[in-house]
Amino acid sequence: MNKKEISEVRKRFKPENSNIGHVYGCYVNSSKEVISYLDESLSLMPEEEKKQYLDFLKKVLSGAQGRNLSDIVFTSSQVADSDEHRLLMSLREDKPEARQEFFQTVIDNYDSEDNYLILCANDAYDVPYRGHGDVDKSAEKYASEHDDQVFRYFVCAICPVKDGKLTLGYFSGENEFHNCLAKQIVCAPEAGFLFPAFDNRSTNIYNALFYARKPEETHYELIEALFKTELSMTPAEERQAFEDALADAEINGLEAIRGLNERLKAQIDENEEDEPLSIGSGDLVSILSDCGVEDEKLQVFREKYEERFGKAAVNPENIVDLRRFEVKTGDVTITVNPEMSFLVEARDVDGKKYIMIPADGVELNGFAVKV
């Protein structure tokens, strides 16, 4: 799924657009014991409560592709005949008899220090036709000729449930304020998924979209249990492997690393495609070469990169931090707007290495000072 397709499905979770009739789920404690089951009609809920449920489900379609959102790909044999795919198809068809098996699979394989809610819903999206160029077809005619233009899908959000904070509240019977503790509060989901995928604005039962709030905690055990497949490295693992390849090639100069960050950030900013940007070893070698890295080191880097990633391309947002530029020494940390990283220089002064920054408009603890 690309950005536009994800955004299109996300709009389904607005109360005015939603075709979700009910939500259901299972409330579980940290000891993996079921506390209660949920099956509620959205049409009977107050509007604000309905919106909260839809917001939790919509969150499963948020974040960056390749980081928070990962494509799950099924093999042809899985789609043709496998227990895991049959279960997902039954959930998609909203068969109540499939719920208990699904809940138990999640409970057995999802570890949490908090209680949590497995929240689920089904939707049928009548996909509007979008013409291109000189195509002259009405939406009604196109829909009547294409039965698969109704995208039927199942969405699941796994939301931690935590105790509220102690706060001062008004007790009307006593006309006084006292400390009170809010009861269990449902928080934004830590994990979840959409099945099937919405590719080329149509149903793709060979794919699902998995969500993890924290890319470094992708819940591989849950992915393996539900989909019987494995993801590639997490973003954190990709970054560590990339940094190790740079270190093995002894590419560690300030100018080279800064240049790499700047070039990757520029490419991401210029990317107008719906798909996330991907770069391979050849692209990275070219960038590093432009940053002045020697050919011998580039050859070592290519070898070390391909040892770790093979011929696969990576999302540049996973391998460098493009949102900050931070320089650390043993005692000092300098954080700079990435777009102004050129202000940081390394210099030799009397035989000693220094990090230099312009001393214009200096403040000390918020107080303007003269240097």
Side-chain angles (χ1 to χ4, degrees), residues 118-343:
I118 306 170
L119 180 64
C120 308
N122 293 74
D123 185 25
Y125 174 32
D126 193 359
V127 183
Y129 173 67
R130 292 179 182 172
H132 299 278
D134 297 326
V135 177
D136 184 21
K137 291 183 180 179
S138 68
E140 293 80 6
K141 180 180 179 183
Y142 188 84
S144 68
E145 294 173 354
H146 295 76
D147 294 336
D148 62 347
Q149 284 306 104
V150 176
F151 173 52
R152 301 181 188 280
Y153 63 93
F154 164 78
V155 63
C156 170
I158 302 176
C159 307
V161 180
K162 300 184 180 182
D163 289 329
K165 295 181 180 178
L166 194 66
T167 186
L168 201 62
Y170 180 66
F171 290 72
S172 58
E174 303 172 19
N175 293 328
E176 294 176 350
F177 289 88
H178 299 289
N179 279 336
C180 58
L181 183 66
K183 294 184 178 180
Q184 299 267 285
I185 297 173
V186 180
C187 302
E190 292 286 335
F193 68 94
L194 172 85
F195 174 83
F198 185 57
D199 287 332
N200 295 317
R201 304 189 68 244
S202 60
T203 303
N204 177 6
I205 62 172
Y206 285 81
N207 283 63
L209 189 68
F210 188 84
Y211 167 80
R213 188 175 74 85
K214 299 178 181 178
E216 65 274 16
E217 298 175 11
T218 310
H219 300 284
Y220 284 104
E221 69 289 346
L222 189 60
I223 292 170
E224 168 62 27
L226 289 174
F227 310 114
K228 296 293 189 287
T229 188
E230 294 182 359
L231 286 181
S232 56
M233 290 184 282
T234 65
E237 291 169 339
E238 282 190 357
R239 182 168 181 176
Q240 186 60 59
F242 177 69
E243 290 177 353
D244 289 345
L246 288 174
D248 289 347
E250 298 183 355
I251 300 174
N252 52 17
L254 175 63
E255 294 302 323
I257 302 303
R258 174 169 57 193
L260 175 65
N261 277 260
E262 290 175 350
R263 288 283 297 273
L264 291 178
K265 184 178 187 306
Q267 289 190 22
I268 291 171
D269 291 343
E270 293 167 4
N271 180 35
E272 297 180 353
E273 301 297 324
D274 295 324
E275 303 289 346
L277 184 66
S278 294
I279 56 175
S281 58
D283 303 310
L284 290 165
V285 166
S286 178
I287 291 172
L288 290 168
S289 177
D290 290 344
C291 293
V293 177
E294 302 92 328
D295 290 344
E296 296 80 4
K297 291 184 176 181
L298 293 175
Q299 180 60 36
V300 175
F301 169 76
R302 185 191 291 271
E303 292 171 0
K304 297 301 181 181
Y305 176 95
E306 293 182 357
E307 282 178 12
R308 293 167 170 84
F309 297 97
K311 298 295 183 181
V314 296
N315 183 341
E317 293 188 62
N318 291 350
I319 59 175
V320 291
D321 191 338
L322 304 177
R323 295 169 181 81
R324 64 174 182 165
F325 185 83
E326 184 178 272
V327 181
K328 279 188 176 183
T329 69
D331 303 304
V332 177
T333 299
I334 302 170
T335 303
V336 182
N337 181 334
E339 295 182 358
M340 305 300 289
S341 63
F342 63 87
L343 294 175

Side-chain angles (χ1 to χ4, degrees), residues 340 342-343 356-364 368-371:
M340 305 300 289
F342 63 87
L343 294 175
M356 314 290 281
I357 57 173
D360 299 325
V362 178
E363 291 185 2
L364 177 61
V369 297
K370 200 176 200 180
V371 178

Side-chain angles (χ1 to χ4, degrees), residues 104-116:
Q104 196 59 53
T105 301
V106 174
I107 292 168
D108 289 343
N109 294 279
Y110 184 79
D111 294 323
S112 174
E113 296 179 356
D114 301 303
N115 294 359
Y116 60 92

